[in-house]
Amino acid sequence: MLYTIIKALHIIFMVSYFAGIFYLVRIFVYYKDTDAFTEDKKRILREQYIFMARRLWNIITVPAGVIMAVCGLVMVFLNTGLMKTPWFHLKLTFLVGLAIYHYWCWKKVLKLKELNGSTLETANIKLRQANEIATFILFLVVFTVILKSQVIEYWWQLIAGFFVLVFLIMMTVKLVNKNKKSNKQQ
């Protein structure tokens, strides 16, 4: 029963963590979008985005990430057999990628604070693409956990499916951005 409760908490805080990460990178995009605004509007919006990013990071994303990680470690402690399964090693590999992405987000939050209203040096398109990284990691982790040993058995179909998914998401983003640009010009 304890393991199941810890697992439920792990999932709940995983959802909270990813919600924070998804929205945080959108805030970076919105901040960058202000480059073309008038100085007064830019200053007001950038102050608000910095405030939102710091609050989101400090109140939701990091605490949820810590609780998610602690629950994950407790589950490994309670079920040491996980460390012997290939699918779990694959999940841990994806989590290393998530840790790198988390670090990148943290550096951007610190950079926003330092900018004091200046522009982000990262191109808007790069920020929009970076916004999808967490989505890909989430897909990889969830499919690995749900499919477990089948991930190892059918790895090439999953990789092919993953690349199709990446392609579809990228094309959808490009289509939405194209429509957004054409609507602005009208």
Side-chain angles (χ1 to χ4, degrees), residues 15-61:
V15 170
S16 300
Y17 174 79
F18 273 97
I21 284 288
F22 290 151
Y23 191 53
L24 182 68
V25 181
R26 289 307 310 165
I27 291 173
F28 300 155
V29 170
Y30 298 151
Y31 184 97
K32 184 67 177 171
D33 283 346
T34 64
D35 284 354
F37 295 172
T38 64
E39 286 305 314
D40 284 342
K41 187 175 182 180
K42 186 187 307 185
R43 180 184 51 77
I44 291 167
L45 286 172
R46 285 182 174 180
E47 286 175 9
Q48 183 63 32
Y49 291 143
I50 291 168
F51 174 78
M52 290 168 63
R54 292 183 70 203
R55 299 277 310 257
L56 179 63
W57 185 255
N58 293 325
I59 297 173
I60 296 173
T61 309

Side-chain angles (χ1 to χ4, degrees), residues 82-123:
L82 286 172
M83 292 303 291
K84 298 174 184 160
T85 59
W87 70 266
F88 191 73
H89 293 165
L90 185 59
K91 176 186 175 183
L92 291 176
T93 303
F94 298 143
L95 293 180
V96 168
L98 181 60
I100 293 166
Y101 185 72
H102 179 93
Y103 177 77
W104 177 84
C105 288
W106 175 60
K107 296 302 277 181
K108 285 287 182 213
V109 169
L110 293 177
K111 186 70 172 173
L112 279 183
K113 185 176 141 185
E114 292 172 10
L115 288 174
N116 197 22
S118 300
T119 191
L120 277 171
E121 73 282 351
T122 309

Side-chain angles (χ1 to χ4, degrees), residues 127-183:
L127 288 171
R128 290 180 190 280
Q129 290 169 345
N131 195 35
E132 304 310 321
I133 293 171
T135 304
F136 300 141
I137 293 171
L138 179 62
F139 271 88
L140 291 168
V141 169
V142 168
F143 274 95
T144 299
V145 171
I146 298 298
L147 296 175
K148 291 185 175 38
S149 61
Q150 293 171 340
V151 167
I152 306 305
E153 188 177 341
Y154 299 104
W155 65 271
W156 66 272
Q157 289 108 326
L158 291 169
I159 299 243
F162 177 72
F163 281 111
V164 167
L165 176 68
V166 168
F167 177 77
L168 289 174
I169 290 172
M170 286 174 49
M171 291 298 105
T172 302
V173 169
K174 285 185 183 263
L175 182 64
V176 167
N177 287 336
K178 183 179 178 182
N179 287 340
K180 193 186 302 183
K181 283 181 184 178
S182 67
N183 288 340

